[in-house]
Each structure stands twice: as structure tokens, then as C-alpha cells.
Amino acid sequence: MKSDCTQNTTCQERKKDPIEMLHSGQLVKVCAPMVRYSKLAFRTLVRKYSCDLCYTPMIVAADFVRSIKARDSEFTTNQGDCPLIVQFAANDARLLSDAARIVCPYANGIDINCGCPQRWAMAEGYGACLINKPELVQDMVKQVRNQVENPRFSVSIKIRIHDDLTRTVDLCRKAEATGVSWITVHGRTVEERHQPVHYEAIKIIKENMSIPVIANGDIRSLKEAENVWHITGTDGVMVARGLLANPAMFAGYEETPLKCISDWVDIALELGTPYVCFHQHLMYMMEKITSRQEKRVFNALSSTSAVLDYLTDHYGI
């Protein structure tokens, strides 16, 4: 785990309590946990463009607790990286609470991934299979609550929905009764990938909860975010791929502005982002503003210096 925060450091933004934000009545704009992508450099970028709350990529709690190497590679933060939620994949309450205790000084809360539909995660007992294990989810929330002394440290869950929505509402009610801070709902079932998002289902879940709910799924612009917020009656919206394609989306830009690309270059170089990640983010950001031929050339570049030369020659960056 790498941090320039000491245990007693509270950056100004850490004082922006996500729970208070989600009770404010204002749209809370959230960057989703994205494996490989929602790391420190990208979180730093989206915060410059009106993102209110960021999640780390999903981290396997067992590895995080047992391996210093895993901690150093999976979780990097700094003083400006807040408010921040660390998302864990877990199926063991003790290991999750140990992981939560480790990150507690550096984050505003943890989130339990109950929504990842990937086969490897389900096979390990992580992710979306947890929506069928409400008692285990309750136990994990309780253990974290018991082990972390800070009463403002949030414990949230991110879920998918069941075919039978009454089961999802039951899961959410049980989680709420155990003290979960908020629930993020991706409005698809475990089997669904690119089918339309069930925003009506998210609305029904919200109507049955007294804690905040965040809507997630297929939001590609600020206008869409505001629309989903109004349709569902939720307290915030979480975006993944929409932000990858346009990190300035929450600031109202329809496509990635050149200033945002320039900011990414500065941030990524300053934080020592590995080349593959640096280049991949640029490929996503430039998708809409480059021709097929330009993509072919840019995507084939194989070094930071080649990318910088390309951006200078073509965009004056």
C-alpha cells in the first residue's frame, strides 16, 4: 500500500463525508470501481472534472490482508485522493474486517462487491453470487462495523438485481437493518450484459429503502446522469465506461476536451503510470475524436515518447 498520507492525516476533502453528500438532496456523481482503470491517476483526473466520489478498483480482501506486495500494487493514494471508497471482493467476514482496518486511515469507507458477474469471481464466492447470500453480506457488514472504530467510516455494497425483484428488496432491507451506509444498484441481472438497464427496478428498490441508493448502468453523459437520477429518485449516479470514454463527462462535456487529455498526460507522468495503462486510457478518451486511420496509428504506438510526439504533432499537446 502506497500513500503519502500518515495515519493521522485528514485532507480537506476527507472532511467531505460521502454519507452527508448522499443525504444532501443534490446529485452525487460517482466514479465506479473499474479493474485496472479506476486507479489513483484516473481518480485524480475525474476529480478535476466535477466527480464527487471515487472508488478504487475491486481488490481481493484475502490477498490484500496476507500480502504486502498485493497491498503495494493494489492500493495507492495521496492527500488529494478523497473522498475515497475502497472496494473489496470478499467472502469471509474476518478477512474483510482486517482489510477494512488496514485502509481505514486512508479512505472514507469500504464497499463490498456483490455485483461482479465474472466467472472467476463467482467461482471464488465473490461478486454477484453474494446477492444470494444475504446472511453472509450481513455478517461482513457487522464485522466491519465492530472492528473499525471510526463511526463515520462507511460500509456500502454494490449489487446486481434478481429476476425476482422481491429477493433484491429483501437483500437490501437486510443489509440496511445491519447498518450498511448506502447501496449501489447496477440495474441488470447477473446474466445480463448489454441488455437495457432496468431503471424501474432501481426506483422500486429506492422506494423501499431509507438509506441512500446510487444508480448504476449505461450512463454516458451528464444529461443522462441527471435523467437517471430523476427517473429513479436515487441519491447519486455511478458511471464506469462513460467516464473512461470521457473523463470530463460530469463537467458537462459531450466528448473529451483536449484540456482533459493534456491533464491526463501531466497527471499520469507525474504519478508514474505504467505505459500500457497510460496508453489504454488515451485510446478510450480519443475514441470519438479520431478517425479510423488515426486510431490505427495511435493504437499501435509502443512508447511514452511516441505517444507524446503524436499528441504534440496532431493536437499541439
Side-chain angles (χ1 to χ4, degrees):
M1 187 168 70
K2 297 173 185 172
S3 169
D4 65 13
C5 294
T6 56
Q7 291 239 353
N8 59 3
T9 297
T10 305
C11 78
Q12 199 59 39
E13 289 295 311
R14 193 85 70 211
K15 294 174 185 172
K16 281 189 180 176
D17 186 330
I19 298 170
E20 288 180 9
M21 289 164 62
L22 287 163
H23 281 96
S24 69
Q26 302 297 309
L27 170 61
V28 178
K29 303 179 284 292
V30 186
C31 175
M34 291 179 276
V35 173
R36 295 186 303 279
Y37 295 122
S38 61
K39 296 200 169 187
L40 175 60
F42 188 70
R43 298 194 301 265
T44 304
L45 180 67
V46 296
R47 289 186 197 280
K48 284 176 71 81
Y49 290 91
S50 302
C51 184
D52 299 312
L53 177 63
C54 291
Y55 281 55
T56 69
M58 180 182 75
I59 300 169
V60 176
D63 297 341
F64 190 79
V65 169
R66 292 169 183 156
S67 164
I68 293 171
K69 186 178 177 184
R71 291 201 285 277
D72 284 345
S73 66
E74 295 295 329
F75 182 50
T76 305
T77 189
N78 62 24
Q79 275 198 305
D81 185 31
C82 39
L84 177 67
I85 304 299
V86 182
Q87 191 188 64
F88 285 112
N91 58 13
D92 180 285
R94 184 184 59 79
L95 283 171
L96 177 66
S97 62
D98 287 346
R101 277 215 316 273
I102 292 169
V103 301
C104 180
Y106 312 104
N108 294 82
I110 63 134
D111 184 81
I112 306 167
N113 186 316
C114 305
C116 178
Q118 293 184 32
R119 280 201 192 93
W120 74 266
M122 304 269 283
E124 294 285 339
Y126 304 141
C129 70
L130 291 174
I131 64 172
N132 298 316
K133 299 177 181 178
E135 288 75 21
L136 175 56
V137 173
Q138 285 182 294
D139 189 31
M140 290 196 286
V141 172
K142 274 183 198 162
Q143 285 266 24
V144 175
R145 284 266 174 254
N146 291 338
Q147 292 295 321
V148 176
E149 291 177 1
N150 180 0
R152 301 307 298 166
F153 190 77
S154 65
V155 184
S156 56
I157 61 174
K158 183 172 186 289
I159 66 170
R160 283 189 171 230
I161 60 174
H162 298 83
D163 287 315
D164 175 3
L165 199 61
T166 58
R167 294 181 63 199
T168 317
V169 170
D170 180 62
L171 165 72
C172 293
R173 282 177 172 161
K174 285 176 175 171
E176 179 178 19
T178 315
V180 84
S181 307
W182 70 80
I183 298 172
T184 300
V185 184
H186 181 95
R188 290 188 176 99
T189 66
V190 177
E191 293 75 27
E192 290 175 324
R193 293 296 184 272
H194 303 293
Q195 291 90 335
V197 177
H198 303 287
Y199 293 121
E200 183 63 29
I202 300 176
K203 180 173 187 268
I204 290 167
I205 292 165
K206 172 59 187 171
E207 288 169 349
N208 280 273
M209 298 289 107
S210 57
I211 55 171
V213 174
I214 296 173
N216 172 230
D218 275 7
I219 297 166
R220 303 299 177 104
S221 69
L222 179 60
K223 197 171 183 179
E224 285 182 14
E226 291 169 341
N227 191 36
V228 167
W229 180 51
H230 288 302
I231 288 170
T232 59
T234 49
D235 306 281
V237 296
M238 175 183 282
V239 178
R241 285 176 296 188
L243 278 175
L244 279 182
N246 179 9
M249 186 196 106
F250 283 144
Y253 292 91
E254 291 296 318
E255 57 187 34
T256 312
L258 291 181
K259 177 69 169 72
C260 182
I261 294 171
S262 176
D263 287 339
W264 169 246
V265 171
D266 292 343
I267 291 165
L269 294 181
E270 182 185 342
L271 293 175
T273 302
Y275 174 72
V276 172
C277 180
F278 169 65
H279 187 216
Q280 187 67 56
H281 273 293
L282 285 169
M283 285 195 277
Y284 279 119
M285 288 181 213
M286 295 167 65
E287 175 74 24
K288 282 187 179 177
I289 61 172
T290 49
S291 67
R292 189 176 296 176
Q293 176 58 30
E294 285 170 333
K295 283 185 187 64
R296 206 174 288 130
V297 173
F298 184 79
N299 295 359
L301 298 176
S302 58
S303 71
T304 301
S305 58
V307 167
L308 297 178
D309 287 344
Y310 182 95
L311 293 175
T312 300
D313 293 344
H314 288 75
Y315 300 103
I317 294 172

